[in-house]
Amino acid sequence: MAVRLGVKKTYKQYIGGKFVRSESGRSLQQLGKDGEFIANYCHGSRKDLRDAVKAARGAFSGWSKRTAFNRGQILYRIAEMLEARENEFCDVMCAEGSATCEQNMIEIQCAVDRCVYYCGWADKFDAVFGSVNPVAADYFNFTVPEPTGVVGIVADEGTALIGLVSQIAATVVSGNACVVLASDEYPLTAMEFGEVLATSDVPGGVVNILSGKKHELIPHLAKHMDVNAIDYRDGDGQTVAQLIDLGTENVKRVRVSKRKARAGWLSDKAQGPEQIEKFVEMKTVWHPIGV
């Protein structure tokens, strides 16, 4: 009997709830820490980015109108599916050379817990950030948080999974849709997470994940007029200046912070309602009394 060759997986991008190849037809090779070939993955293009933003904008209205309870249920479902595939994630993360198997399992379990954590905040953050404001007239005056819209997330390069999951969960729990640029170092882990999203009741387009070279896609993300905000965690000064400069045309909100090490992402300090607040807008409503 002839020796059977295994089927090498080709990782596709996750756009609009579907796994698609890059329109450019280009691909990149992911190599392990010893230089061995692991898999091919898509080299995303500007057109792929535009498609992802269009999908996110199309999904935003429906997702933001879902009840907070339902968004929490879906985040919990992500945690369930992530935990069910923890061994597959561990294999991919070890192959990409992110850390030891034991460290990767800790990171995966922390990512599961983080989804559950933000699930719990889904129906509570608006009560924390919102308020009824005292006014000296015959009006009720409310302040309520609303999702920003379409958020571009540039994945942190410090970790393979926990940073990515933390950024996505804190963004979508309030009703935002997002376009994620996967890590240059660990793109396969990000694409694996796309497969978790596809089986977790997340509506197509709410989370879109692109792979490729971030330095090629970041300028297009920054100047896209239908992206309302960007979450950038790598702290590179030149890129930050570029994001701020290009983002001014549509008054894009740009959140910048330094790259976190693994220990930083695993810490409880990396989670909290203030992470949700970064991508909500405060809307104040005046309502007359007795009318």
Side-chain angles (χ1 to χ4, degrees):
M1 183 177 178
V3 177
R4 181 180 178 276
L5 295 175
V7 177
K8 286 288 185 182
K9 187 173 182 177
T10 299
Y11 287 82
K12 301 174 183 65
Q13 301 181 112
Y14 183 59
I15 299 175
K18 299 177 182 177
F19 294 97
V20 298
R21 295 173 177 80
S22 172
E23 63 81 30
S24 69
R26 299 180 300 174
S27 63
L28 296 166
Q29 290 187 344
Q30 178 67 341
L31 305 178
K33 57 185 176 183
D34 297 324
E36 74 279 15
F37 173 76
I38 304 175
N40 290 309
Y41 65 98
C42 293
H43 187 166
S45 68
R46 182 180 183 179
K47 173 68 165 56
D48 296 327
L49 178 70
R50 288 203 301 263
D51 291 343
V53 174
K54 183 178 180 182
R57 179 57 64 189
F60 169 68
S61 177
W63 178 243
S64 61
K65 289 176 182 173
R66 293 225 180 179
T67 64
F69 178 67
N70 185 236
R71 289 199 298 272
Q73 286 179 311
I74 291 173
L75 278 169
Y76 192 85
R77 178 65 174 163
I78 294 173
E80 289 178 338
M81 298 308 295
L82 184 55
E83 186 159 77
R85 297 183 56 175
E86 62 179 9
N87 291 329
E88 292 174 49
F89 270 89
C90 189
D91 290 343
V92 172
M93 292 163 70
C94 287
E96 289 193 292
S98 113
T100 65
C101 184
E102 184 179 354
Q103 289 172 325
N104 286 331
M105 286 303 290
I106 292 172
E107 184 175 335
I108 294 164
Q109 290 162 4
C110 185
V112 172
D113 293 346
R114 194 134 302 166
C115 289
V116 175
Y117 176 84
Y118 283 111
C119 153
W121 273 104
D123 58 356
K124 299 175 184 65
F125 75 90
D126 53 350
V128 173
F129 301 139
S131 65
V132 177
N133 308 312
V135 292
D138 293 337
Y139 293 94
F140 283 126
N141 184 267
F142 308 91
T143 297
V144 292
E146 293 193 341
T148 297
V150 175
V151 179
I153 295 176
V154 183
D156 185 288
E157 294 285 348
T159 64
L161 183 66
I162 182 62
L164 174 75
V165 171
S166 300
Q167 287 179 274
I168 292 175
T171 301
V172 301
V173 66
S174 60
N176 292 304
C178 63
V179 175
V180 181
L181 305 187
S183 159
D184 285 348
E185 290 190 52
Y186 313 113
L188 306 191
T189 303
M191 293 303 119
E192 286 282 345
F193 188 64
E195 295 181 9
V196 166
L197 297 172
T199 54
S200 301
D201 303 330
V202 180
V206 171
V207 181
N208 305 274
I209 305 178
L210 301 176
S211 58
K213 297 185 176 180
K214 289 197 302 191
H215 73 273
E216 293 179 357
L217 296 174
I218 284 176
H220 302 305
L221 183 68
K223 64 185 177 185
H224 198 298
M225 297 300 284
D226 213 16
V227 175
N228 303 106
I230 291 180
D231 184 10
Y232 179 71
R233 305 290 185 99
D234 275 352
D236 174 67
Q238 187 175 355
T239 306
V240 170
Q242 186 181 39
L243 285 171
I244 293 174
D245 183 44
L246 295 174
T248 53
E249 289 191 18
N250 70 338
V251 200
K252 198 180 267 91
R253 177 182 294 193
V254 179
R255 180 194 184 188
V256 174
S257 60
K258 293 182 180 178
R259 179 184 298 189
K260 272 191 178 72
R262 176 189 302 274
W265 281 114
L266 295 177
S267 166
D268 286 347
K269 293 180 180 177
Q271 62 186 18
E274 68 277 5
Q275 304 298 327
I276 304 172
E277 188 185 17
K278 303 296 182 185
F279 296 110
V280 296
E281 308 293 336
M282 296 301 174
K283 179 180 179 181
T284 298
V285 179
W286 291 77
H287 191 282
I289 297 174
V291 177

